Amino acid sequence: MNLTISGHHLELTPAIREYVQSKLSRIKRHFDNVIDVSVILSVDKLTEKEKRQKAEINVHIKGKDLHAESIAHDLYAAIDTLIDKLDRQVIKHKDKLQEHHSIAKRLPDDTPEDAVAGAA
């Protein structure tokens, strides 16, 4: 897995890098086929003074690209919500893959295509 962490308008400390990597281990626990991860942490000048920290992530997995972003008053809170959002997307994608494979296993090989189309 290739991991890229970049910061816009803020300095990335080793503590922030370690925090992001530890949170991403949760994603790897659910899905092993992660190819590339790009995390962008930034400070935005928004109209709301409380919510200035922004975290974005792009994950390239086999068969799909996932994107999530989160804005919060604290960078660590933004990272936490970001990982929660991404975790839900990864679990949903994994469930779709498993459901697709289980349907293919349940169908007999000698079933005509007309019967399969009528069953769906």
Side-chain angles (χ1 to χ4, degrees):
M1 174 179 89
N2 296 330
L3 175 63
T4 306
I5 303 173
S6 61
H8 294 182
H9 304 292
L10 80 120
E11 181 181 340
L12 286 178
T13 62
I16 293 174
R17 284 185 184 275
E18 182 64 33
Y19 189 74
V20 170
Q21 289 174 350
S22 68
K23 290 293 183 173
L24 282 174
S25 67
R26 189 168 123 191
I27 304 301
K28 288 189 278 185
R29 183 175 55 210
H30 289 297
F31 199 71
D32 292 335
N33 297 336
V34 178
I35 298 169
D36 188 29
V37 177
S38 173
V39 180
I40 301 171
L41 307 172
S42 61
V43 178
D44 287 340
K45 294 184 179 180
L46 300 174
T47 56
E48 302 173 23
K49 291 293 180 184
E50 303 93 35
K51 296 187 175 183
R52 293 185 49 177
Q53 310 292 327
K54 183 177 180 183
E56 295 179 59
I57 191 164
N58 290 312
V59 178
H60 179 68
I61 58 178
K62 186 177 177 185
K64 189 162 186 145
D65 289 335
L66 303 175
H67 174 76
E69 68 179 44
S70 174
I71 300 174
H73 65 282
D74 181 26
L75 186 59
Y76 289 99
I79 293 170
D80 287 340
T81 10
L82 177 76
I83 295 298
D84 290 340
K85 289 178 181 181
L86 183 65
D87 194 33
R88 284 192 298 271
Q89 288 183 13
V90 167
I91 290 172
K92 185 176 177 180
H93 178 68
K94 184 178 176 181
D95 288 345
K96 283 184 179 180
L97 287 177
Q98 289 176 344
E99 182 180 315
H100 175 73
H101 289 296
S102 66
I103 289 173
K105 288 179 183 176
R106 283 187 277 166
L107 292 176
D109 291 337
D110 58 341
T111 305
E113 292 184 19
D114 297 335
V116 174

